[in-house]
Amino acid sequence: RQTRVPYNILWVVVDAMRPDVLASFHDDAADEKMRHARFDPGFALLPKIPGLTPNLDELAQHAARFTHAHSNAPWTRPGTLAMMSGSRSTELGIGTTNWIVPEPEAQHYYTNSPPLLPLLMRNQGVATRAFVNNFFMAGYAEVGVDMGFERLDDHRHRTLDTKEITESAVNWLQNHADERFFAFCNYNSPHEPWEPPKRFADRVPDAPAGPGEWVPREYMGEAAKDDEAIGTLLKTLDDLKVRDHTIIVVTADHGETLSAAHQGRLKLDNLTMRFHHAMGNYEETTRIPILISLPGVVPENKNVTERVRIIDIAPTLLELEGIAPAAKMSGKSLLPLMNGAHEAGERVTL
């Protein structure tokens, strides 16, 4: 393929992963302040556990990390649409409260040229492929819409999906290392069901160093499982000698509600609000990690504390690639913040 795009992209999404799962995203002073607040934060603040996610914490030392980032939605379809288009789901015509996409919304989406990053990269001659456990990205499913990849491999294997996604992605990368690529890997852990292998669950210490309840412990163990898979992807880039010209993005589509203070029932599927997401716009439900790495271009070990959004990732990648952002994108590039700029006002999330 002929292309002038300078960098590959490896974009990794860990479904429902909160930033406080990662030791590198903790601010010790802020944690201490929360622990001594008037109201006990409970599991709105997970404990810092060094060694739980060693690959992501190592990557953070060579990346810009955005410690106050939010998804523009508290569940997967609108969160994924937001990251893939640099626009809120509702700006694309797809509502956020229906499980099934109504036909008029789907028709509006497909006939109004959504500014999808995969399509923009394909137009530049870039090979695009998605390896996911995310049927919201499957255009043939009633709950999903096509998000513009040349091909999407959807691995629906409960908790075995991590292994399947990684193996498929590694094989594809090995066969496309000599061309410009955009690979998107969407893991489904630590989204429930929580069934981490024992060796990952054992990384979570007993209380008080670790969570004192079963679900938060298993949740953190699932994140450790996906961290190992991400380490395999990063090693593959190193083995193929393409890491120096590959933009690496790691984020989540939304967070997870773990605090006992956030009880109630969701209108979507009548689920309990705690230990789920979807309808609760609590900070723990919408706050996400964002890591962006590109050697020699993105500052290393850069901690950005300004509030940013998941819709800001796509325009950032386009700017790094030297491609003009789509006019329909409402997100803004993160490059100025990475390079030390400060903005007069906070970016609006919802």
Side-chain angles (χ1 to χ4, degrees):
R1 305 186 191 206
Q2 296 298 314
T3 181
R4 294 185 179 180
V5 172
Y7 304 116
N8 304 314
I9 298 172
L10 173 64
W11 188 332
V12 180
V13 174
V14 184
D15 194 313
M17 184 173 70
R18 292 167 33 162
D20 53 357
V21 170
L22 308 174
S24 52
F25 273 72
H26 277 261
D27 180 315
D28 293 339
D31 287 2
E32 190 67 14
K33 186 176 180 180
M34 284 187 69
R35 283 192 291 266
H36 291 89
R38 179 181 176 187
F39 299 103
D40 184 350
F43 294 116
L45 174 66
L46 292 171
K48 178 180 179 180
I49 303 178
L52 180 69
T53 55
N55 294 293
L56 287 173
D57 290 332
E58 171 65 21
L59 178 64
Q61 298 302 308
H62 304 282
R65 58 184 178 273
F66 296 84
T67 56
H68 290 78
H70 288 261
S71 177
N72 293 92
W75 62 291
T76 298
R77 188 180 67 222
T80 308
L81 274 170
M83 69 175 84
M84 286 293 97
S85 68
S87 306
R88 295 167 179 83
S89 180
T90 50
E91 293 173 317
L92 305 176
I94 303 294
T96 60
T97 59
N98 292 317
W99 185 258
I100 304 296
V101 180
E103 287 190 15
E105 292 185 7
Q107 183 177 11
H108 181 277
Y109 174 80
Y110 287 117
T111 58
N112 282 273
S113 302
L116 296 168
L117 183 64
L119 285 178
L120 295 173
M121 299 303 289
R122 288 170 66 181
N123 289 340
Q124 298 290 327
V126 175
T128 67
R129 186 73 164 265
F131 309 90
V132 309
N133 182 347
N134 183 348
F135 62 178
F136 296 113
M137 298 179 70
Y140 56 81
E142 289 185 313
V143 298
V145 293
D146 191 313
M147 298 192 188
F149 287 92
E150 291 174 76
R151 180 169 171 176
L152 180 142
D153 296 2
D154 190 20
H155 297 276
R156 313 207 57 76
H157 297 293
R158 196 173 167 90
T159 55
L160 297 178
D161 59 306
T162 294
K163 178 176 179 292
E164 299 287 340
I165 290 168
T166 306
E167 289 179 351
S168 292
V170 167
N171 180 68
W172 188 84
L173 289 169
Q174 290 171 339
N175 286 285
H176 290 80
D178 59 349
E179 59 184 305
R180 194 61 72 231
F181 62 77
F182 173 16
F184 182 80
C185 297
N186 192 160
Y187 295 109
N188 198 48
S189 309
H191 189 291
E192 59 85 27
W194 301 290
E195 299 171 349
K198 185 176 183 299
R199 62 192 181 92
F200 297 114
D202 286 348
R203 291 187 190 178
V204 183
D206 295 334
E213 289 190 29
W214 175 79
V215 169
R217 291 179 61 83
E218 299 293 278
Y219 172 88
M220 298 187 83
E222 285 283 355
K225 179 187 74 178
D226 281 1
D227 175 81
E228 182 180 78
I230 293 168
T232 299
L233 296 177
L234 297 178
K235 183 178 183 301
T236 299
L237 296 183
D238 289 334
D239 292 345
L240 296 172
K241 297 180 169 46
V242 298
R243 188 161 177 176
D244 285 347
H245 52 275
T246 299
I247 305 168
I248 299 169
V249 179
V250 180
T251 190
D253 50 349
H254 52 75
E256 189 68 291
T257 309
L258 300 177
S259 173
H262 297 154
Q263 298 283 9
R265 293 240 168 221
L266 306 177
K267 291 183 179 179
L268 189 69
D269 286 354
N270 196 35
L271 296 171
T272 57
M273 189 167 291
R274 192 186 185 200
F275 303 143
H276 292 96
H277 39 271
M279 288 297 183
N281 282 323
Y282 300 110
E283 182 167 328
E284 62 176 321
T285 321
T286 63
R287 194 166 170 180
I288 58 172
I290 296 178
L291 282 174
I292 301 178
S293 170
L294 177 59
V297 178
V298 172
E300 295 194 6
N301 198 21
K302 176 69 174 181
N303 189 42
V304 180
T305 59
E306 282 85 357
R307 186 171 67 198
V308 300
R309 300 82 50 91
I310 204 169
I311 57 172
D312 297 327
I313 300 176
T316 303
L317 297 180
L318 290 173
E319 184 172 1
L320 286 169
E321 298 283 21
I323 302 170
K328 292 182 179 180
M329 287 183 172
S330 57
K332 295 165 54 181
S333 174
L334 298 169
L335 285 185
L337 296 178
M338 291 181 197
N339 293 319
H342 296 281
E343 297 176 347
E346 292 187 313
R347 301 188 182 194
V348 178
T349 301
L350 297 176

